Every structure is written in structure tokens, then in C-alpha cells.
Amino acid sequence: MSGRRVRVPSLLGDPGVARARTPSRRFLFAVPPPARGGAGRVAPAAAVAAELARRGHKIAWTGHRPSLEPLLRSGARIFSAGDDATARLRPEGPDALRSLWEEFAVPLGHAMMPGVETAIDRFRPDVVVSDQLVLAAPVAARRREIPWATCAATPVEFTRPLADRPEDEERVRERIGGFQLDHGIDDLLDLRFSDHLVLVFATGALLGDVSFFPDHFAFVGPVLGRPAPCAFPWDRLDGRPAVLVTGDDSFGERFLRVAAEAVRDLAVQAVLAAPPGAVGEAPPNVIVREHVPRPKLLERMSAVVCDGGYGTVCESLSHAVPLVAAPIRDDQPVIAGLVERAGAGISVPFDQVRPDELRDALAAVLADGPHRAAAGRVRESFAEAGGAAEAADRLEKLA
């Protein structure tokens, strides 16, 4: 045999040559203060930012520093924007979907503008990634001709929630247009939807037909936050079908007592996320815990009763668990309506629901039928959408 050495090309490429990688870019994330969702709005942006950082990109944040710091990784670079007064802003009353923009987003935009502009000028981002409620970020980016992306933490604005009230819908657009004029931009856009990239943390299986949206609308599915450790008496779950009663907002004692009574005669166990004493003397098949490890618990649940908060809805459907939603305020009725139209659950009135009505709704979703199948379809769509990795891919292309 000849002693001549023959080099065989590797299918994996030359190990001595580094693989091509996307050049490092700088991404500035702008998020609102906690009065409008707190961790629930920051969590998807934080997951996308973490994926970009893992790929070698530089990340910075702008927003209300005291509320942001506990929600981000230690050492995150934060530029302050807004103050404690704006952090307490919250729309109130029956017209929350309209006042969300008039009484919260527009005043917040004015208050955050100086801090956001300072953040852009000091960090020099290649792309600004703005929560849908932070109007200052797209205006500041447009003034500096920097690409910007919308980060839509919930899909509510894609349902046209004010479509049946055209005067209110037009009024919101006028307020958003007026905000741009106030800051020297007369080439008006609807700042809720970037003309470069819109990241929607939902899918068509939940939102409905999305085929008519432009190509720069990316439906990447929900990105769930990191679960916090929490003790739970797992040995008390005895194998019966289990129901979790939980909400992003407090249900209040009346509803919790209704829920406890509703499950009393069902062949299930129920876990109620409630303060001690809120339910009174709980039925034998009810476990009351003030704090529960919700993501882990959902692996063993057969149904969920919630307030329609988007975080709870997505966590439940990510486990193919059907829901009964009792929406309380803000965008919760819209989210509950999406769940119902997707076939993955039933909506009941929070204020008036009786134990027998809630029992009937629970019995319907607990049955191994259409609601469970629809929840499974939504889960599959979430898994296929790509989540944080797909969002990061889109942002890299924008940069």
C-alpha cells in the first residue's frame, strides 16, 4: 500500500475553518412599565433577547428601570425612560380598550421619549424592538432612520377589538397620529404595526385566519417565561382528572367560592390558586394553595379555569389543556373570545356565573371531545411556529 496521504473532504466542512456566522448586531428593546402587564409583557421580549445574546449580539433595554431590573437577567444594560408616575398609569373603566391608547400609551410615549432617545443615541442600535404600547421607540427610531420592529405580546390588536365602534377606532388612530405630529413626524404610520417587522406571539390556530396579513407580520407563537420554583403537595393528587383554577388577576372570593362549589360533585380534583381562607371550608376534592408551580402543574391537569389572561391561556394550550375563561377586564374578554372561537374552551360571565353554569362548562371541556382536540391543534401550531428562535431569525434579517 502506498504511503501517500489522501485528504478526504469532510461532510461537516474543514474543522480548521470557522463556520460563517451572522455579524454581531445591537438590539435595543423598549418595554412598558408594570401597570400594563409587567412580567407578562416583558417575558417574550426577554426570551427573544436571550436568544439573540446567545448568538453573539449585543442587547440593551429601555423602560422603567425599577420594575425592569427584577424581570431581566443580572447585569442587563438598562437605560431609564419614564418615571414612577408613568409607571402607575393604567386605563380604567368600561372603555379600557380605547383608553389603553388615550390614557396610557400616548401619555407614556411623551414621558418615555427623552429616555428612549438617550438610549438610542448612547447604545446606537442596529434595530429597535418596541413593545406595541411603547410609542416613543418607533418615533425615535424613525427620526434616526433606524429599522424598528413591533413586539406584540398579545394578539388583541390584530382582532380589531373596536371594529364594532368605528368612531372609537378612528379616535385611537387619530391619537396615535397626533403623537407623531407632536414629535415632528408628518409621514404618519399606525405605530402599533411596524412597516419593517411585526412579531406576533400567537398563531392562526388561536387568532383565526392570518393569511391576509403582509409577509412582514411574523406569527411566531407564544414564548413562555421561565417558571419560578414553588413547593406543592404532589402526593395529594390521586390520579383523578384535575382542574386548575388560576388567574393572572385575582378572581376574588365570590368567584373562588363558586368554583369550589362547582367542582364539589364532579369526579375531579381541583387546585385553587387562592389565599388561605378565601374559599372558606373547601370541599374534600379541592386543594387550596396561595402559590402554585403553574407550568409544572399543567402537565397533570385536564382543564383550567382562568380569567382570560394571555399568559395563562398560552401556558394551558401549550399543554393541550382546554379552558373555561371568566374574563374580568381589559383585553381578557377578547382573549376569551379567541379561545372560544378556536374551539379550545368556553367563556362564562365572571360577575354572574352560578356554580351549576360553571359545572356544566367544566364538564363540557373535561370530556374527551372537541375542546380537547382543538386545544391539541393549538398546541401543535405553537410548537411549529418557532417561538424565540424564529423571532431572532427575523430580527437578524432586519438588522
Side-chain angles (χ1 to χ4, degrees):
M1 180 177 179
S2 169
R4 186 174 51 150
R5 299 179 64 186
V6 178
R7 185 176 183 184
V8 179
S10 169
L11 292 176
L12 299 178
D14 189 339
V17 179
R19 292 187 181 185
R21 57 180 297 178
T22 304
S24 177
R25 294 288 186 260
R26 304 170 77 85
F27 296 89
L28 176 67
F29 285 78
V31 292
R36 288 301 310 161
R41 296 197 77 93
V42 175
V48 176
E51 175 63 20
L52 289 167
R54 188 188 66 78
R55 300 181 185 189
H57 301 294
K58 304 297 183 188
I59 305 298
W61 296 82
T62 184
H64 184 245
R65 180 187 290 275
S67 60
L68 257 183
E69 285 179 333
L71 304 177
L72 300 178
R73 295 174 184 268
S74 176
R77 189 173 184 183
I78 302 173
F79 294 92
S80 290
D83 53 26
D84 291 342
T86 56
R88 291 190 294 270
L89 285 171
R90 185 183 181 103
E92 302 289 350
D95 290 327
L97 289 174
R98 188 197 71 204
S99 62
L100 171 65
W101 299 99
E102 291 186 328
E103 299 173 16
F104 177 80
V106 170
L108 176 69
H110 289 302
M112 288 186 66
M113 183 63 75
V116 169
E117 291 193 311
T118 297
I120 292 177
D121 292 341
R122 290 181 58 188
F123 185 62
R124 302 188 309 280
D126 296 290
V127 173
V128 172
V129 186
S130 178
D131 183 280
Q132 206 164 30
L133 294 179
V134 182
L135 302 180
V139 167
R142 293 189 70 199
R143 287 169 58 170
R144 289 156 177 79
E145 299 185 347
I146 298 172
W148 63 283
T150 296
C151 190
T154 82
V156 170
E157 292 301 321
F158 303 89
T159 69
R160 289 188 62 197
L162 297 174
D164 60 341
R165 295 155 57 187
E167 291 184 1
D168 284 345
E169 193 175 51
E170 179 60 27
R171 186 169 163 180
V172 167
R173 284 196 293 265
E174 288 177 356
R175 295 296 186 274
I176 293 173
F179 176 80
Q180 295 170 85
L181 292 172
D182 289 343
H183 292 279
I185 291 182
D186 53 15
D187 177 18
L188 303 183
L189 294 177
D190 190 333
L191 298 179
R192 293 171 293 182
F193 313 103
S194 167
D195 55 345
H196 298 278
L197 173 64
V198 180
L199 299 174
V200 191
F201 294 98
T203 63
L206 179 60
L207 187 53
D209 181 20
V210 297
S211 62
F212 58 88
F213 286 100
D215 290 342
H216 70 282
F217 281 58
F219 294 86
V220 302
V223 178
L224 306 178
R226 292 174 293 174
C230 181
F232 187 80
W234 298 103
D235 57 320
R236 293 184 60 185
L237 296 178
D238 59 16
R240 284 179 287 175
V243 175
L244 175 62
V245 181
T246 182
D248 291 346
D249 287 309
S250 173
F251 268 138
E253 289 190 7
R254 179 202 169 272
F255 186 88
L256 291 168
R257 291 172 186 267
V258 166
E261 187 61 30
V263 301
R264 181 186 294 275
D265 297 324
L266 289 177
V268 301
Q269 283 187 291
V271 178
L272 269 65
V279 183
E281 187 174 348
N285 62 335
V286 172
I287 302 169
V288 180
R289 302 281 294 186
E290 185 165 12
H291 303 288
V292 298
R294 194 164 70 190
K296 190 69 176 174
L297 203 55
L298 284 169
E299 297 175 6
R300 301 177 63 172
M301 295 294 109
S302 298
V304 167
V305 178
C306 75
D307 55 11
Y310 193 56
T312 307
V313 165
C314 288
E315 286 183 351
S316 302
L317 294 179
S318 292
H319 289 83
V321 178
L323 300 119
V324 175
I328 302 172
R329 59 173 179 254
D330 297 344
D331 61 3
Q332 293 171 352
V334 178
I335 300 298
L338 291 177
V339 170
E340 200 161 40
R341 286 192 290 276
I346 295 173
S347 182
V348 298
F350 169 73
D351 289 327
Q352 292 87 29
V353 69
R354 303 188 308 269
D356 60 315
E357 293 173 320
L358 186 56
R359 185 182 302 116
D360 290 345
L362 267 173
V365 300
L366 282 165
D368 189 13
H371 297 103
R372 192 165 305 280
R377 289 193 294 272
V378 176
R379 176 183 63 178
E380 291 173 5
S381 77
F382 286 177
E384 293 170 357
E390 176 64 20
D393 287 348
R394 292 287 195 126
L395 287 168
E396 284 184 329
K397 291 175 182 176
L398 181 60

